[in-house]
Amino acid sequence: MSYNFNMNNEIETPILPPQAEVENSHPWVKFAGMFKDDPLFDDFVENMAAYRRELEAIDADENEMGVVE
């Protein structure tokens, strides 16, 4: 994003890139928000976080015991 400065070096309204440029900026942009209305998504995210915590606890236990992979 670029900004315009007036004669007093004050920031004016930003110039936004065209929508097509935003949509093409990254291949995953088109998937942004695809789960916003999915009633199961919050549960999915919480289950993934719980699983990650389990893996981190196992990893921490192994590191304390000196287990090397």
Side-chain angles (χ1 to χ4, degrees):
M1 180 183 305
S2 60
Y3 294 93
N4 288 336
F5 293 89
N6 63 19
M7 296 295 283
N8 296 324
N9 208 24
E10 298 168 332
I11 296 177
E12 294 182 346
T13 306
I15 299 172
L16 301 175
Q19 185 64 29
E21 186 177 324
V22 172
E23 291 172 357
N24 295 326
S25 64
H26 192 283
W28 290 7
V29 168
K30 62 185 173 188
F31 299 111
M34 67 186 282
F35 294 113
K36 69 179 179 186
D37 296 323
D38 188 336
L40 302 176
F41 189 69
D42 289 338
D43 290 337
F44 168 77
V45 171
E46 180 53 40
N47 288 333
M48 291 295 292
Y51 179 64
R52 180 65 183 195
R53 289 189 294 268
E54 288 176 28
L55 293 179
E56 289 173 348
I58 291 169
D59 189 42
D61 289 343
E62 289 177 352
N63 285 337
E64 286 179 6
M65 294 187 298
V67 176
V68 178
E69 293 181 6

